[in-house]
Amino acid sequence: MQLTFATYNIHKAVGMDRRRNPDRILAVLAEVDADVIALQEVDRRIGLRESVLPLSHIEDYTPYRAVPLNQRPDSMGWHGNALLVRRDITLAEAAVVPLPVLEPRGAIRADLVVGGHRIRVVGMHLDLSGLRRRQQLRAIMAHLGRCGHHCPTVVMGDCNEWGVRRGSLSEFAAPWQVLAPGRSFPARQPVARLDRIALSGEWRVIKAAVHHSALAVQASDHLPVMARLELPKNWAPAQESRA
C-alpha cells in the first residue's frame, strides 16, 4: 500500500504578493495531489479564529474533507493546524495533542483506515524556541505512546528547525526516520528546511520532495513538502501477527 503525505504552511492564504487568495492555495493542493495533507496557519489568529479556507470550497472543489476536531465552530483545526484526507479514507478518530506553548502553536492527530490498515497522522507547528520545540516533540511522542492502537505513524509539519543537523528533531529516536526533502522557506528563494516529515519504522520511503511550481512560489511563504510512503506487503500489527 502506497500513500502520499504532504505538509504545507499556507501563511493564512496570504501569498508573496501580500494578497489573501484561498483558491490559489487549493490550486496548489491539487498540484501536490496527496492523500493526506497537514496544513499550518489555516485559521486566523484573532476573533473567532475562523478558517481562511472556506469549508464549502474544500467540499465542492477538492477530493478532500477536513478532519473534524469540534474545538471552535468557525475554525477548521486547532491553533492553525488542520488535516485534509481524501474522502475515500475512513476516519477512525481524531484528537487535539496538547503542547506546552508560549505562543499559539499546536498539534492534532487523526487515526485513519486505508485498505484495511489503521494508520496514524499528526500535523504540527512547532515553536521558534529550540528548547520549547524539544518539549513539544516530547509531548507529541508521549501522546502517541498513550494511544490505544499501535500502527504506522507519520508526524509532519512546520518544525521551525533551521539547523542542518537534527537539533530538536533528535527526539525522534530509531527506528523513527526524519525526512528533510529540501529547502522550503522562503518560497521565492528557499534557504531553510523548516518543513519536515517523520515516519515510524514500518514505512518505506518511495520518494520525498519539495513541491516547487510557479503557483506555489506565489501562494504562500512556504513551499509544500511531500513524501510517497509504502507499507510492506507482509506488514501486520502485532495483534494480527499473533493470530
Side-chain angles (χ1 to χ4, degrees):
M1 183 180 73
Q2 293 188 8
L3 292 168
T4 300
F5 297 84
T7 177
Y8 189 18
N9 184 328
I10 68 169
H11 197 228
K12 301 178 182 63
V14 176
M16 301 305 288
D17 56 3
R18 299 184 180 181
R19 292 172 47 240
R20 193 186 308 277
N21 190 335
D23 290 335
R24 185 165 53 185
I25 295 294
L26 296 181
V28 173
L29 297 182
E31 292 180 345
V32 175
D33 194 30
D35 297 294
V36 182
I37 304 170
L39 299 176
Q40 300 87 49
E41 297 193 24
V42 75
D43 296 333
R44 299 175 189 264
R45 274 197 174 187
I46 59 176
L48 297 176
R49 309 283 180 91
E50 67 265 32
S51 170
V52 298
L53 297 182
L55 283 174
S56 59
H57 287 208
I58 294 173
E59 294 167 357
D60 293 343
Y61 304 118
T62 80
Y64 302 107
R65 59 191 172 109
V67 170
L69 294 167
N70 301 320
Q71 296 295 317
R72 296 188 179 98
D74 298 299
S75 297
M76 185 186 298
W78 172 247
H79 283 311
N81 291 273
L83 287 169
L84 302 181
V85 300
R86 289 195 183 274
R87 292 195 186 101
D88 59 352
I89 294 177
T90 301
L91 175 64
E93 61 179 76
V96 166
V97 182
L99 296 185
V101 294
L102 290 176
E103 54 183 315
R105 304 290 184 190
I108 56 177
R109 171 182 61 86
D111 284 17
L112 310 171
V113 180
V114 189
H117 293 290
R118 189 181 185 113
I119 64 171
R120 183 164 291 136
V121 182
V122 173
M124 62 184 180
H125 191 182
L126 300 184
D127 203 275
L128 297 174
S129 159
L131 175 60
R132 188 67 65 176
R133 285 196 298 273
R134 285 187 179 274
Q135 294 171 338
Q136 291 171 344
L137 286 172
R138 288 170 188 166
I140 290 171
M141 298 305 288
H143 175 89
L144 293 175
R146 293 190 296 270
C147 291
H149 301 269
H150 171 76
C151 57
T153 302
V154 176
V155 179
M156 55 186 173
D158 180 355
C159 296
N160 272 313
E161 185 64 66
W162 285 76
V164 176
R165 297 181 179 179
R166 294 187 69 191
S168 62
L169 298 175
S170 60
E171 296 298 324
F172 290 105
W176 283 82
Q177 180 180 358
V178 180
L179 306 180
R183 297 180 178 94
S184 57
F185 177 86
R188 280 183 179 165
Q189 293 182 314
V191 297
R193 304 169 187 259
L194 299 189
D195 304 283
R196 309 288 184 95
I197 300 175
L199 45 138
S200 59
E202 297 89 350
W203 296 101
R204 184 168 73 92
V205 181
I206 304 299
K207 175 185 177 183
V210 176
H211 178 76
H212 197 289
S213 69
L215 189 61
V217 166
Q218 290 295 322
S220 172
D221 61 347
H222 285 245
L223 296 172
V225 167
M226 54 79 61
R228 183 75 174 170
L229 306 179
E230 180 181 62
L231 282 178
K233 291 182 180 179
N234 60 352
W235 180 85
Q239 61 267 30
E240 291 182 8
S241 63
R242 290 196 299 265

